[in-house]
Amino acid sequence: MSTQHPPIVHTVAALREAVAGWRARRESVGLVPTMGALHAGHRALMRAARARNSRVVVSIFVNPKQFGPNEDFAAYPRPEGADLAVLAEEAADLAFMPGVEEVYPPGFTTTVAVAGLTEGLCGAHRPGHFDGVATVVAKLLIQTAPDSAYFGEKDYQQLQIVKRLARDLDIPVEIVGVPIVREADGLALSSRNVYLSAEERRIAPALYAALRETAAAVAVDPHRAGAILTTAIASLGKAGLRVEYLELRDAASLAPFSGDLSRPARLLAAVHLGRTRLIDNVPVPPG
Ligand code: AMP
């Protein structure tokens, strides 16, 4: 049975009109920001929104500001028909699909920059990326004015940045983090997994396996964390994954790991596999 996809709006004005109608009836609104190429990870965000809000808005916008000059903005998958089918299946109430000119009209010059949290990890390797993310997320939160907005732990640093920007800018929204959805073999779902060749796809689950093993080893012996990470980087390299970073951080502040497991810690990684960059992260079990 085919279900109909939700109404699509392309402008901020039409988005606000739809949300205002729900607000007038005191319905709560959840926002799920995405770049499309929707998969089960995005579906988990939509279901989390559905569980807490009576209306679910999904934005689909491939944000040029968060791609570097040598990154995959042009090649990023944009399967609109399949995405609308997912929105129908998940019973989303509205698709917000603005064009680049709607989000960044001529003369647009504002940047939202979250200091500190954006500096290490992915921020160190993708200059300007998190400014692009923070700018578009701030706009989406202001445009939609949802009660809650949903972000995946897959992009763990991004989730912490979004929580901070909402707090710092007094945007009245609850930012909800959603656990990572994985393939049966452990690979975190990502729109970029379509770039993997068959051989690379076979190798890719080694990232999650290494993260889990490494986090478990650190939990047993946190004072040997440095040596444990060095060994893990070497073994990922042997498996065919070139490590961009593999780091232990405080789970909330993202400050470098102090060696003290009485506070929640997180192990985060980015690796290159052929032309594909994969990111993943796991909690470190408490000591
Ligand atoms: P993207 O479309 O890749 O920008 O992702 C949109 C949202 O979906 C972000 O909040 C991501 O963290 C989240 N997301 C992407 N992949 C996953 C996953 N495998 N599990 C949970 N959330 C995810």
Side-chain angles (χ1 to χ4, degrees):
M1 200 186 75
S2 74
T3 24
Q4 267 209 320
H5 68 70
I8 303 171
V9 291
H10 299 285
T11 65
V12 176
L15 167 69
R16 287 196 161 133
E17 199 182 308
V19 172
W22 296 327
R23 287 263 172 252
R25 296 196 292 274
R26 300 194 174 283
E27 295 186 277
S28 79
V29 178
L31 172 67
V32 178
T34 80
M35 298 204 301
L38 302 175
H39 51 64
H42 300 110
R43 287 181 193 260
L45 303 190
M46 294 176 212
R47 288 173 196 181
R50 173 60 64 211
R52 299 165 83 109
N53 304 112
S54 58
R55 298 291 180 173
V56 177
V57 178
V58 179
S59 63
I60 299 181
F61 178 61
V62 184
N63 174 32
K65 285 196 191 291
Q66 70 188 72
F67 288 78
N70 300 317
E71 293 183 359
D72 56 345
F73 176 68
Y76 198 84
R78 291 166 171 85
E80 196 178 309
D83 283 351
L84 292 175
V86 171
L87 297 188
E89 285 169 17
E90 298 302 327
D93 293 286
L94 189 70
F96 177 42
M97 300 173 63
V100 173
E101 291 259 305
E102 176 72 7
V103 180
Y104 305 117
F108 184 94
T109 56
T110 298
T111 299
V112 177
V114 179
L117 281 177
T118 54
E119 277 151 29
L121 306 170
C122 288
H125 298 272
R126 301 184 72 188
H129 167 68
F130 284 125
D131 287 358
V133 169
T135 302
V136 82
V137 170
K139 284 178 64 85
L140 288 166
L141 293 177
I142 291 166
Q143 291 162 348
T144 315
D147 297 278
S148 321
Y150 298 81
F151 294 84
E153 289 183 348
K154 162 86 190 328
D155 299 276
Y156 192 84
Q157 187 177 16
Q158 168 177 287
L159 171 61
Q160 306 314 314
I161 291 165
V162 169
K163 284 183 176 170
R164 178 71 60 81
L165 87 82
R167 195 181 80 189
D168 285 355
L169 297 178
D170 303 307
I171 301 176
V173 63
E174 180 192 14
I175 303 299
V176 180
V178 176
I180 301 175
V181 177
R182 300 179 179 281
E183 301 283 4
D185 60 14
L187 176 65
L189 294 189
S190 165
S191 305
R192 289 188 168 101
N193 290 350
V194 298
Y195 298 153
L196 298 171
S197 69
E199 171 66 0
E200 289 164 353
R201 178 64 189 79
R202 197 183 57 74
I203 295 169
L207 174 57
Y208 177 55
L211 284 172
R212 273 202 338 198
E213 267 176 43
T214 306
V218 169
V220 171
D221 202 355
H223 296 292
R224 280 193 58 252
I228 293 167
L229 292 190
T230 305
T231 308
I233 290 168
S235 67
L236 280 165
K238 276 189 205 127
L241 298 165
R242 186 167 60 77
V243 177
E244 186 181 282
Y245 66 79
L246 174 68
E247 291 190 46
L248 278 164
R249 296 291 181 112
D250 181 273
S253 70
L254 301 183
F257 179 59
S258 62
D260 170 13
L261 278 176
S262 65
R263 290 179 54 80
R266 201 93 187 172
L267 178 65
L268 306 100
V271 301
H272 291 269
L273 178 51
R275 66 184 180 118
T276 309
R277 182 175 179 274
L278 303 175
I279 59 170
D280 202 346
N281 64 87
V282 297
V284 179

